[in-house]
Amino acid sequence: MTTPDRGPRRPGGARDRRGGGSRPPRGGRPLVDPARQAAYEAVAAVQRDEAYANLVLPRILRELRLQGRDAAFATELTYGTLRTSGTLDAIIAVAADRAVSRIDPPARDALRLGAYQLLRTRVPPHAAVASTVDLVRAVTGPAVTGFANAVLRRIGVRSWDEWITEVAPDRGADPLGYLSVAYAHPPWIVRAFAEALGEPETGDLAETEALLAADNTPAPVHLCARPGRVGRDALAAEVGGEPGRYSPFAVYLPGGAPGDLPAVADGRAHVQDEGSQLVALALVEAPLDGPDRRWLDLCAGPGGKAALLGALAAERGAQVTAVEVAPHRAALVEQAVRGLPVTVEVADGREIDATGFDRVLVDAPCSGLGALRRRPEARWRRQPADLPPLTRLQRELLSAALRAVRPGGLVAYVTCSPHVVETRVTVGETVRRAPFPVEQVEARLAGVAESGPAVQLWPHRHGTDAMYLALLRRAD
Ligand SMILES: C[S@@+](CC[C@H](N)C(=O)[O-])C[C@H]1O[C@@H](n2cnc3c(N)ncnc32)[C@H](O)[C@@H]1O
């Protein structure tokens, strides 16, 4: 069974390493339906090429001209399979009586899609098995179809809950291990969430469980109605969306491709999680003595917060400097802030010379553990070893921000991760080592009840990504 990853065949066609642009065989019927083909190609590209599902899938859907229900089904299969792949693998390993690492990648990816359909969707079992066997035949050839058929039939005799009882540790003895399997998150992430929520690992972990469930629930797209360009209610009416719960600029979109909306195309609105809107607004609204004209965004790419800061700056007579180290991401910032009082600089934020800024945003590079609901593969790709270099960079960027802000000025430190080493620990250590006095001041987010020296948003409590904000004031 085990052979090197030779790259899958296109379903119904030749072997292809690119993972996109499939066509049915000339003159013949496609071997698999286009929605499953799209899902397979996206899952394979994520595994094989380390692609990102949110980037690769829209391209595949366009190439296969999938829309409406077919596109929605392909999206559900792709996102659901990637999210749950750790647990699906545990189930497949029992049903196949071998480690998943010993199954050829194309067959493994197809089996994951089949197992997901059997256990997590309403697809009738016979259709899930037959279509997956067809897919296996198309991507690996006929030799493996008997194996795939037998594995899927074994999987189909139990429900998801019954499989969890079979493959997860006992909940009473190892609650964290149980949640990790039942909600398909690596144990180290479950542990980090429990710690950030203040729940002891051996407790009942009720909030941690709610958070893990929220991570597995598809998140609506949030739009930001740019201040001065369109009102939130007018935008909601225009796009058939709903005004957001907290941010005065947020609109929740019921579905569809936001890039196709005229309001996004013409720069009146942009796609941005409501939590991101709230933290940018919190920096701008925090009380400040003295001048308030020069704002700095030290980690600006791809430019969502720079665009909101720019729109607010235009209303308040301020100017924004947006710094981004990666040139291609700086180009995205340029696009995002067109027509706004924002100057973009390609530079390492740790080395900027300019000083005297009144307000500074450090939206630090982080593990992204707060946005797992939007990035289905991220939980399995991230590793604990990613944290030490990230936290070093976070401290250096925050130190640079404290040097760049004027005495009396404000710095907002933001992450889209709730991991305490990226939040509390980074802030605490950096403040402790600062060469001048720095105080943490009250952080308030529009409409959000919680406030304090730092605020942590949560998908299961607020419906936003798990954004963290600490607000710091450099003493006069
Ligand atoms: C969390 S993202 C920022 C998101 C952005 N503020 C937005 O709202 O669209 C972090 C960004 O910091 C950039 N970055 C990483 N290291 C940097 C450095 N040393 N100086 C400046 N930017 C850096 C990354 O390339 C990435 O674009």
Side-chain angles (χ1 to χ4, degrees):
M1 197 59 223
T2 309
T3 57
D5 182 2
R6 296 159 302 176
R9 294 171 198 265
R10 311 314 296 279
R15 215 175 275 290
D16 186 331
R17 291 198 136 265
R18 290 166 307 156
S22 176
R23 304 282 175 272
R26 201 169 293 160
R29 193 172 61 83
L31 286 174
V32 291
D33 59 280
R36 289 186 174 88
Q37 177 179 340
Y40 171 77
E41 292 192 11
V43 167
V46 166
Q47 304 296 333
R48 187 184 62 230
D49 308 333
E50 303 222 338
Y52 297 98
N54 65 330
L55 300 182
V56 85
L57 181 63
R59 179 173 59 74
I60 293 170
L61 295 179
R62 264 196 316 277
E63 286 175 357
L64 293 176
R65 298 200 178 86
L66 285 184
Q67 289 175 333
R69 288 175 55 180
D70 283 343
F73 182 50
T75 304
E76 185 198 349
L77 283 188
T78 304
Y79 273 57
T81 301
L82 291 171
R83 275 196 197 103
T84 51
S85 62
T87 299
L88 293 177
D89 283 0
I91 295 169
I92 292 169
V94 172
D97 198 21
R98 71 185 67 173
V100 168
S101 58
R102 293 186 49 231
I103 302 175
D104 264 358
R108 176 205 61 198
D109 292 340
L111 283 174
R112 285 175 176 165
L113 282 161
Y116 182 79
Q117 289 171 68
L118 282 168
L119 300 175
R120 302 291 280 173
T121 71
R122 289 164 187 249
V123 173
H126 66 272
V129 173
S131 62
T132 306
V133 170
D134 285 348
L135 180 59
V136 168
R137 183 178 300 111
V139 297
T140 70
V144 190
T145 52
F147 166 76
N149 192 30
V151 171
L152 290 164
R153 284 185 189 285
R154 257 174 250 144
I155 291 173
V157 298
R158 293 194 175 113
S159 68
W160 173 265
D161 288 344
E162 288 165 345
W163 272 113
I164 296 305
T165 306
E166 170 82 17
V167 298
D170 176 71
R171 185 170 192 154
D174 180 3
L176 194 143
Y178 171 83
L179 291 181
S180 161
V181 177
Y183 290 91
H185 283 64
W188 73 275
I189 295 181
V190 183
R191 196 172 304 117
F193 286 171
E195 187 181 359
L197 284 161
E199 291 190 320
E201 283 177 29
T202 48
D204 76 350
L205 298 169
E207 265 223 76
T208 306
E209 183 167 2
L211 170 58
L212 299 174
D215 270 355
N216 289 346
T217 308
V221 171
H222 295 173
L223 295 179
C224 175
R226 290 190 176 176
R229 293 202 174 166
V230 65
R232 176 182 67 172
D233 294 345
L235 180 66
E238 180 179 327
V239 301
E242 221 184 290
R245 213 163 123 199
Y246 304 107
S247 162
F249 317 120
V251 170
Y252 305 153
L253 206 57
D260 296 343
L261 296 171
V264 172
D266 66 22
R268 285 176 294 139
H270 60 262
V271 175
Q272 186 174 42
D273 181 78
E274 187 173 23
S276 288
Q277 300 174 31
L278 290 172
V279 293
L281 181 63
L283 170 63
V284 170
E285 300 263 277
L288 175 70
D289 291 332
D292 191 9
R293 291 268 183 278
R294 295 182 61 218
W295 300 353
L296 172 65
D297 180 350
L298 200 60
C299 306
K305 293 184 194 69
L308 179 51
L309 289 177
L312 293 167
E315 292 188 330
R316 295 163 198 226
Q319 291 282 332
V320 183
T321 302
V323 173
E324 167 58 48
V325 75
H328 68 284
R329 290 174 75 82
L332 296 175
V333 183
E334 289 279 10
Q335 269 174 31
V337 302
R338 200 163 292 149
L340 297 168
V342 180
T343 310
V344 181
E345 284 180 24
V346 183
D348 188 323
R350 293 169 292 184
E351 290 166 8
I352 64 154
D353 299 327
T355 55
F357 290 97
D358 303 308
R359 299 182 192 263
V360 180
L361 173 66
V362 184
D363 188 16
C366 71
S367 63
L369 297 187
L372 296 184
R373 61 193 190 140
R374 299 194 189 277
R375 298 182 196 140
E377 68 283 339
R379 68 189 67 174
W380 307 111
R381 203 170 270 171
R382 275 283 172 215
Q383 299 297 328
D386 298 338
L387 289 173
L390 275 173
T391 53
R392 199 172 315 120
L393 180 57
Q394 289 160 359
R395 288 175 201 195
E396 289 168 2
L397 285 163
L398 182 51
S399 299
L402 291 168
R403 290 193 300 274
V405 77
R406 69 167 165 83
L410 291 168
V411 174
Y413 174 79
V414 169
T415 59
C416 67
S417 166
H419 199 303
V420 295
V421 308
E422 299 183 86
T423 58
R424 286 206 298 267
V425 177
T426 290
V427 172
E429 284 294 303
T430 312
V431 168
R432 197 169 60 76
R433 289 166 192 220
F436 37 71
V438 174
E439 56 173 346
Q440 253 179 281
V441 296
E442 174 100 342
R444 284 187 177 282
L445 301 178
V448 173
E450 299 92 331
S451 69
V455 181
Q456 177 66 66
L457 293 172
W458 295 105
H460 65 290
R461 280 193 210 160
H462 305 97
T464 63
D465 291 347
M467 304 295 300
Y468 170 89
L469 166 71
L471 209 50
L472 309 174
R473 201 175 74 90
R474 180 171 163 177
D476 293 308

